Amino acid sequence: MRKLQMVDLKTQYEFIKDEVDSSVLDIFKNGTFINGPSVKKFQSDLENYLNVKHVIPCANGTDALQIALMSLDLQPGDEIITSDFTFAATVEVIALLRLKPVLVDIEEETFNINCDEIQKAITPKTKAIIPVHLFGQVANMDRVMDIAKTNNLFVIEDNAQGIGSTYFSSNNTKHKSGTIGDLGTTSFFPSKNLGCYGDGGAIFTNNDDLAHTIRGIVNHGMYVRYHHDVVGVNSRLDSVQAAILSVKLPLLDFYNERRKEASLLYSNELNQNKNLLTPIVKNDCQSHVFHQYTLRVLSGNRDQLSKFLNDNNIPHGIYYPIPLHKQKAYTDINYNEENFKISNMMSEQVISLPMHSELDNDQIKFICNKVNEFFKAQEN
Ligand SMILES: *Cc1c(COP(=O)(O)O)cnc(C)c1O
């Protein structure tokens, strides 16, 4: 059996080595390291794949979120509603821009932001909602968009974990995740579903004005060379990463399909286990691209399971062990634990097993046997 890993970028590379190597060597030979033709090409490849008018590449997924917020002409103290149960990047950019993060609880079934809680959190200062498509499953975008429309709020989809998933609206239209809100953002961090070989990110929008604003912001606030109209940043996807991404983008659907197959096999092996809850897919089967395969341990011994897996050299992760409202940097005197029942519970129950496009059936069965063995031993 191949060595178990959370992600297996080495094996993935072996399958695409020739194409990746030659695309990268082209850039070395041509010296077009920054804003070379490969960046334009990837931008247009991704626009076509997502069926979105504008993709603006940038340096990483955190920058993408920050730049998206910077484009909305917000004032210090404006409130941005987001999930209590996400990677810190989502909330850190809000705080960094002196906006106010308003964290709300999640749904038990999907780990995604709870729309009833969004509704309750809205005040006259609320300006935007950032739903996160956590673990690869699209949030309830019909309701998010409905709430946003009624309350005149912007929507930024944090699609760092969801790229390639498709959301089916109740009005029978379907859209790629990240293209439903005013803005969508993603990360090309190597372990993401579409990863490069370093850092990278992008912002998506169908709004021409926001796209124009953002193209200036990523380039030092310049719309005309050496005329700085707004305070910007320097955030670029470099040519080497763009070239690698253009090789990998045509494989994204295949990679996501492999993840889905792995998830089905995992769930098939584990859903008889009364101590566990396997992931629930809402909406359509294409609405979850399994960035993570995350179980809930109902029997209160998640940390013992984690230790057992460590002892058996089975990699796994706890995403996330501490909800954001409890983090020193983001806690607020006004937060009430009663309002974070689900995220608090999830931080104690969740455990994510290896998930990537190169997992094979023997590996998955081995992992599941060990997990089941752990609970059998506990019962005796
Ligand atoms: C990975 C991730 C980010 C940040 O992406 P980077 O490229 O690492 O900056 C933001 N939000 C979520 C939900 C993520 O998983």
Side-chain angles (χ1 to χ4, degrees), residues 59-65 85-92 131-135 158-162 185-192 198-202 291-292 320:
N60 58 66
T62 309
D63 271 14
L65 284 161
F85 199 65
T86 169
F87 181 55
T90 321
V91 42
E92 122 195 325
V132 182
H133 304 317
L134 202 74
F135 304 149
D158 181 346
N159 198 29
Q161 302 187 4
T185 65
T186 203
S187 162
F188 304 122
F189 188 80
S191 65
K192 302 283 158 107
D199 273 310
H291 176 60
Q292 298 293 350
Y320 297 91

Side-chain angles (χ1 to χ4, degrees), residues 196-227:
C196 60
Y197 291 3
D199 273 310
I203 304 148
F204 326 134
T205 185
N206 282 307
N207 181 315
D208 297 336
D209 294 335
L210 287 177
H212 174 76
T213 303
I214 289 168
R215 290 212 172 87
I217 291 173
V218 297
N219 189 25
H220 303 288
M222 279 194 287
Y223 297 89
V224 175
R225 204 167 169 77
Y226 299 124
H227 292 250

Side-chain angles (χ1 to χ4, degrees), residues 96-109:
L96 194 67
L97 294 171
R98 296 280 174 255
L99 304 164
K100 185 174 179 223
V102 176
L103 300 172
V104 302
D105 208 354
I106 53 170
E107 300 175 342
E108 200 172 331
E109 290 189 325

Side-chain angles (χ1 to χ4, degrees), residues 148-271:
K149 207 169 161 198
T150 312
N151 296 280
N152 199 21
L153 308 174
F154 290 108
V155 174
I156 303 171
E157 297 173 69
D158 181 346
N159 198 29
Q161 302 187 4
I163 195 155
S165 57
T166 301
Y167 185 74
F168 290 69
S169 287
S170 50
N171 66 4
N172 280 324
T173 57
K174 57 176 188 172
H175 299 276
K176 289 282 182 196
S177 59
T179 69
I180 305 162
D182 301 280
L183 295 159
T185 65
T186 203
S187 162
F188 304 122
F189 188 80
S191 65
K192 302 283 158 107
N193 292 39
L194 178 61
C196 60
Y197 291 3
D199 273 310
I203 304 148
F204 326 134
T205 185
N206 282 307
N207 181 315
D208 297 336
D209 294 335
L210 287 177
H212 174 76
T213 303
I214 289 168
R215 290 212 172 87
I217 291 173
V218 297
N219 189 25
H220 303 288
M222 279 194 287
Y223 297 89
V224 175
R225 204 167 169 77
Y226 299 124
H227 292 250
H228 305 273
D229 294 355
V230 296
V231 177
V233 293
N234 169 23
S235 190
R236 293 184 282 244
L237 180 70
D238 71 67
S239 305
V240 168
Q241 301 308 335
I244 294 164
L245 286 165
S246 276
V247 172
K248 289 183 71 177
L249 179 59
L251 294 164
L252 178 59
D253 286 346
F254 166 75
Y255 289 151
N256 283 341
E257 200 52 43
R258 295 279 303 137
R259 287 171 179 267
K260 203 179 311 164
E261 284 167 16
S263 80
L264 289 173
L265 184 55
Y266 266 129
S267 290
N268 195 47
E269 299 287 316
L270 295 173
N271 59 22

Side-chain angles (χ1 to χ4, degrees), residues 31-175:
T32 51
F33 299 111
I34 299 291
N35 290 335
S38 65
V39 180
K40 267 260 158 346
K41 178 178 187 312
F42 173 64
Q43 175 186 321
S44 118
D45 291 349
L46 190 56
E47 284 166 353
N48 289 331
Y49 173 82
L50 295 170
N51 192 21
V52 70
K53 270 174 96 174
H54 305 281
V55 165
I56 303 107
C58 65
N60 58 66
T62 309
D63 271 14
L65 284 161
Q66 179 184 326
I67 293 156
L69 280 169
M70 287 170 77
S71 74
L72 299 179
D73 208 13
L74 303 173
Q75 301 305 313
D78 282 350
E79 295 176 7
I80 314 295
I81 297 175
T82 193
S83 171
D84 187 40
F85 199 65
T86 169
F87 181 55
T90 321
V91 42
E92 122 195 325
V93 295
I94 302 172
L96 194 67
L97 294 171
R98 296 280 174 255
L99 304 164
K100 185 174 179 223
V102 176
L103 300 172
V104 302
D105 208 354
I106 53 170
E107 300 175 342
E108 200 172 331
E109 290 189 325
T110 62
F111 310 106
N112 278 328
I113 195 162
N114 181 321
C115 293
D116 293 330
E117 300 301 319
I118 296 178
Q119 193 80 63
K120 285 190 222 157
I122 293 172
T123 76
K125 291 192 126 183
T126 308
K127 291 291 155 56
I129 309 168
I130 309 185
V132 182
H133 304 317
L134 202 74
F135 304 149
Q137 176 152 230
V138 192
N140 184 347
M141 289 307 292
D142 278 344
R143 271 207 71 198
V144 169
M145 295 311 289
D146 206 45
I147 294 169
K149 207 169 161 198
T150 312
N151 296 280
N152 199 21
L153 308 174
F154 290 108
V155 174
I156 303 171
E157 297 173 69
D158 181 346
N159 198 29
Q161 302 187 4
I163 195 155
S165 57
T166 301
Y167 185 74
F168 290 69
S169 287
S170 50
N171 66 4
N172 280 324
T173 57
K174 57 176 188 172
H175 299 276

